[in-house]
Amino acid sequence: MHTRLSLRKRIGLEIQRKFQRDLIKEHPLYQLFWECTLRCNLRCRHCGSDCTAVPDTPDMPVEDFLGVLDRIATKYNPHDVFIIVTGGEPLMRADLEQCGRAFYERGFPWGIVTNGLALTKQRFQGLLQAGLRSVAISLDGLKDNHNWMRGVEQSFDSVDRALDMLVAEKSIIFDVVTCVTEKNIGQLPALRRYLIGKGVRLWRLLTVFPVGRGATDPMLRLSPQRFRELLDFIKLTRQQGHIRASYGCEGFLGNYEFDVRDHAFFCKAGITVGSVLIDGSISACSSIRSNYHQGNIYTDDFIDVWEQKFAPFRNRQWARTGECADCKMWRYCNGNGLHLRDDQGRLLQCNLHELEKE
């Protein structure tokens, strides 16, 4: 039973719990997401943000976000705050290199989350010259499965070329991000061989949570049995040591903790992770939307919001309802990742309970 923790796991979780309490109290800002655009050049089946080629909301002017960074620099050392540029697809912005250079000149390290479709050699070199330090690139299987998921025929070939560039460039850190579904889970061993052959060292595997398009397509969601298969696959891959695989920050996993990630589950949204969304909303992880916003850069001071608000993220007793009310794992879980809750705070999915299903 995954809810019956081994003594070794319980000791490890108790140690981490103390560390988490201290971090919540201090809430240092370590990562800041910037949702720079809602434009996208793909038509992904699992997209949770309904991005389109021509969205209703225009790109945020970089000057508006730079004002936030200048304010942050009055409180924090810029070198300690990592900027993660996301979207939509960041490469849809023709001025992304200029944006990155402005971050770099202010002392903020930065990286991007990309689907790789527009990551040409010329753009990659321009981004490196602008101070790019990390890339998370999506790959959801070999050619047939990836293109099925992403909705564009040339998507896999673009990622394949991008991986060659990323592997060859030693100045940055990158990882491959894979959304695991009922359709592609059987291809994971072959995908592992492909990535190892390419020279990829870091591989992050995620599951699709029930938001947006991912809530209605049965091919995107793993059955409980398949979910256990995924975690066992990650555990074995880590033991083999040829590529550093890890499960994403989707939720608490009971006795799988420490076996499928470098650290046990801890939702850092609003604790060390903040975000500025496309409309100026100040939030935590960019996957958390709507009712969890804490302010807006056009009406509020970012540092004041970060220091004085974010109570729903730093004290989560409000989430101890429903199936969480009497759960013995609350001590280590604190209600799961907040991206797995709806606008009313109701839990959409509990990974631990999925593991307990026959």
Side-chain angles (χ1 to χ4, degrees):
M1 296 288 286
H2 297 286
T3 54
R4 295 177 183 173
L5 297 172
S6 68
L7 178 60
R8 181 174 65 88
K9 294 291 175 66
R10 193 174 293 276
I11 291 173
L13 289 168
E14 287 294 336
I15 293 172
Q16 179 160 300
R17 184 168 176 266
K18 182 181 183 305
F19 164 77
Q20 292 171 359
R21 289 201 306 268
D22 293 341
L23 204 59
I24 291 169
K25 182 178 179 180
E26 296 171 9
H27 52 266
L29 181 64
Y30 288 152
Q31 289 183 322
L32 181 65
F33 285 90
W34 179 36
E35 188 179 53
C36 70
T37 183
L38 289 184
R39 290 183 290 152
C40 190
N41 47 12
L42 294 184
R43 298 183 295 274
C44 301
R45 290 176 178 267
H46 64 308
C47 181
S49 54
D50 293 325
C51 298
T52 59
V54 186
D56 294 332
T57 307
D59 294 354
M60 179 182 288
V62 66
E63 293 78 13
D64 297 351
F65 184 65
L66 293 177
V68 175
L69 296 188
D70 290 340
R71 178 67 176 106
I72 289 172
T74 67
K75 173 72 175 181
Y76 292 97
N77 183 341
H79 298 292
D80 295 334
V81 183
F82 198 92
I83 308 303
I84 304 172
V85 184
T86 185
E89 169 52 49
L91 292 172
M92 295 290 282
R93 288 188 67 127
D95 67 342
L96 183 59
E97 290 84 348
Q98 288 74 30
C99 297
R101 188 170 296 111
F103 306 158
Y104 181 75
E105 289 172 352
R106 284 166 168 77
F108 289 90
W110 69 282
I112 62 172
V113 179
T114 179
N115 60 43
L117 188 65
L119 191 61
T120 63
K121 184 177 293 187
Q122 180 179 1
R123 289 220 72 181
F124 185 49
Q125 290 304 313
L127 292 167
L128 289 172
Q129 292 169 10
L132 180 71
R133 287 294 173 263
S134 80
V135 175
I137 188 166
S138 300
L139 182 63
D140 297 318
L142 298 179
K143 192 167 189 175
D144 54 344
N145 276 325
H146 180 77
N147 290 345
W148 174 85
M149 178 74 101
R150 297 291 166 171
V152 173
E153 186 175 349
Q154 65 268 34
S155 180
F156 178 84
D157 291 339
S158 298
V159 176
D160 183 73
R161 290 191 295 269
L163 288 178
D164 290 335
M165 292 188 291
L166 291 167
V167 169
E169 179 54 55
K170 305 304 181 185
S171 69
I172 65 169
I173 296 174
F174 80 95
D175 67 345
V176 171
V177 182
T178 298
C179 285
V180 182
T181 68
E182 287 284 349
K183 185 172 175 60
N184 69 8
I185 188 169
Q187 199 175 68
L188 290 183
L191 182 58
R192 177 175 58 195
R193 290 193 296 272
Y194 165 81
L195 293 174
I196 293 172
K198 278 285 186 180
V200 174
R201 295 181 178 273
L202 300 174
W203 186 20
R204 186 158 32 115
L205 297 99
L206 313 173
T207 45
V208 178
F209 52 93
V211 172
R213 301 168 196 169
T216 57
D217 190 339
M219 288 300 295
L220 298 180
R221 303 290 305 283
L222 293 180
S223 67
Q225 178 182 351
R226 287 293 207 179
F227 184 45
R228 289 192 293 272
E229 288 178 15
L230 168 61
L231 297 180
D232 288 335
F233 171 84
I234 295 173
K235 182 177 179 179
L236 176 62
T237 300
R238 290 170 68 86
Q239 291 170 348
Q240 291 172 340
H242 303 300
I243 186 171
R244 190 69 171 177
S246 63
Y247 183 65
C249 54
E250 297 298 302
F252 183 70
L253 302 172
N255 268 317
Y256 279 108
E257 294 296 342
F258 300 108
D259 292 335
V260 296
R261 291 182 284 228
D262 291 343
H263 306 285
F265 170 72
F266 178 31
C267 179
K268 298 178 182 177
I271 298 169
T272 64
V273 178
S275 70
V276 175
L277 302 183
I278 189 69
D279 63 352
S281 295
I282 300 170
S283 188
C285 167
S286 56
S287 295
I288 303 171
R289 317 293 299 190
S290 299
N291 290 353
Y292 297 93
H293 296 167
Q294 300 295 293
N296 192 289
I297 65 169
Y298 296 113
T299 57
D300 303 296
D301 178 85
F302 181 91
I303 289 296
D304 287 346
V305 172
W306 180 258
E307 292 296 336
Q308 304 300 327
K309 295 189 177 181
F310 281 84
F313 299 92
R314 296 167 189 166
N315 183 350
R316 302 190 182 179
Q317 286 299 317
W318 60 268
R320 197 163 190 179
T321 59
E323 59 187 299
C324 293
D326 300 315
C327 181
K328 295 179 180 179
M329 293 298 110
W330 172 269
R331 182 179 185 85
Y332 308 121
C333 175
N334 279 293
N336 240 307
L338 290 190
H339 67 289
L340 296 177
R341 291 185 177 269
D342 65 14
D343 289 348
Q344 288 72 47
R346 293 175 300 219
L347 187 63
L348 299 172
Q349 173 180 298
C350 174
N351 286 348
L352 185 62
H353 289 171
E354 289 295 301
L355 290 171
E356 291 302 316
K357 293 178 181 177
E358 293 298 330

